Amino acid sequence: MSAALLRLERVACIRGDRLLFEGLSLTLARGEALWLRGPNGAGKSSLIRLAAGLLHPAAGTVERRERCALIDEAAALDGELALRRALDFWARIDTVDGDAVDRAVAAMALAPLAEVPVAMLSTGQRKRAAMARVIASGAPIWLLDEPANGMDAAAAARLVAAIAQHRARGGALLLASHFALGIPDLTELDMGASA
Ligand SMILES: Nc1ncnc2c1ncn2[C@@H]1O[C@H](COP(=O)(O)OP(=O)(O)OP(=O)(O)O)[C@@H](O)[C@H]1O
């Protein structure tokens, strides 16, 4: 049996002065995709940020056994850089080579946009660029908060294909989304009522 890449044990999350959830436990194994679903305000993004280490749990533990790559509403790519240079910047931080960036650019069909400054990309193009950064990172744990928002059907299909390849290579995925996006074999975690 393979060890979990990510494990949350009896985690509680407080934002502002409100308890969003408590006693929440989950494990994410290699090849697994866990879909966080629930209404606006249920705490899906907060759980993703807890998993990433960007929020600290009010109780419980978060254990990451591997590197994570995150998409959330915050922009990771430098808006002033041409897309390719912005991706190369992150590749150096992630210590991956140019081939990894080439493959990620191809996976999200971004080659024609390589020289366009990130700030000039459209909403969907920016989401594709963010996804390319995740793909290029080589991180085994993907934490994706509404990754398909703003993507057209072709881009969403590329996202689903990239997720399938990631899982086939032993990667895992925590997905916060209002839609299953057509991803097969998802484990669901219903975050319940809105906060
Ligand atoms: N920085 C913050 N300070 C205080 N409260 C916050 C903060 N960020 C989020 N919240 C609150 O935490 C609750 C959960 O927010 P979160 O973004 O995790 O929900 P969500 O399930 O991802 O919602 P959505 O479906 O709208 O994206 C909301 O009530 C929100 O107002």
Side-chain angles (χ1 to χ4, degrees), residues 35-39 42 44 175-178 188-192:
W35 176 27
L36 309 177
R37 54 185 310 189
K44 303 180 295 297
L175 170 74
S177 175
H178 293 286
E188 294 184 27
L189 177 61
D190 193 339
M191 306 272 308

Side-chain angles (χ1 to χ4, degrees), residues 126-193:
R126 215 168 296 166
K127 266 286 157 75
R128 281 158 55 200
M131 196 57 219
R133 188 189 71 80
V134 167
I135 295 168
S137 75
I141 304 170
W142 286 4
L143 305 172
L144 306 184
D145 191 355
E146 302 288 0
N149 273 9
M151 284 188 182
D152 62 25
R158 288 182 175 279
L159 168 68
V160 171
I163 287 170
Q165 195 168 41
H166 174 64
R167 294 172 72 186
R169 290 176 177 160
L173 166 73
L174 198 55
L175 170 74
S177 175
H178 293 286
F179 310 99
L181 305 176
I183 298 169
D185 192 21
L186 279 177
T187 305
E188 294 184 27
L189 177 61
D190 193 339
M191 306 272 308

Side-chain angles (χ1 to χ4, degrees), residues 97-117:
D97 59 21
D99 289 349
V101 180
D102 289 343
R103 286 193 296 274
V105 164
M108 295 312 294
L110 288 165
L113 301 171
E115 300 308 320
V116 177

Side-chain angles (χ1 to χ4, degrees), residues 10-85:
R10 302 205 51 76
V11 164
C13 180
I14 295 173
R15 305 217 67 182
D17 54 4
R18 223 142 32 110
L19 178 68
L20 288 186
F21 50 81
E22 61 183 336
L24 188 152
S25 299
L26 66 84
T27 58
L28 195 61
R30 289 193 177 279
E32 193 176 3
L34 180 58
W35 176 27
L36 309 177
R37 54 185 310 189
N40 293 138
K44 303 180 295 297
S45 298
S46 300
L47 181 50
I48 292 266
R49 292 178 75 78
L50 274 172
L54 296 173
L55 280 179
H56 295 293
T61 57
V62 177
E63 186 187 350
R64 283 174 297 276
R65 291 246 173 94
E66 283 283 3
R67 284 188 303 128
C68 297
L70 168 74
I71 284 188
D72 71 356
E73 78 277 5
L77 297 172
D78 186 335
E80 292 185 11
L81 292 181
L83 173 58
R84 176 66 200 221
R85 288 195 59 206

Side-chain angles (χ1 to χ4, degrees), residues 116-131:
V116 177
V118 169
M120 290 186 192
L121 298 175
S122 73
T123 303
Q125 289 169 344
R126 215 168 296 166
K127 266 286 157 75
R128 281 158 55 200
M131 196 57 219

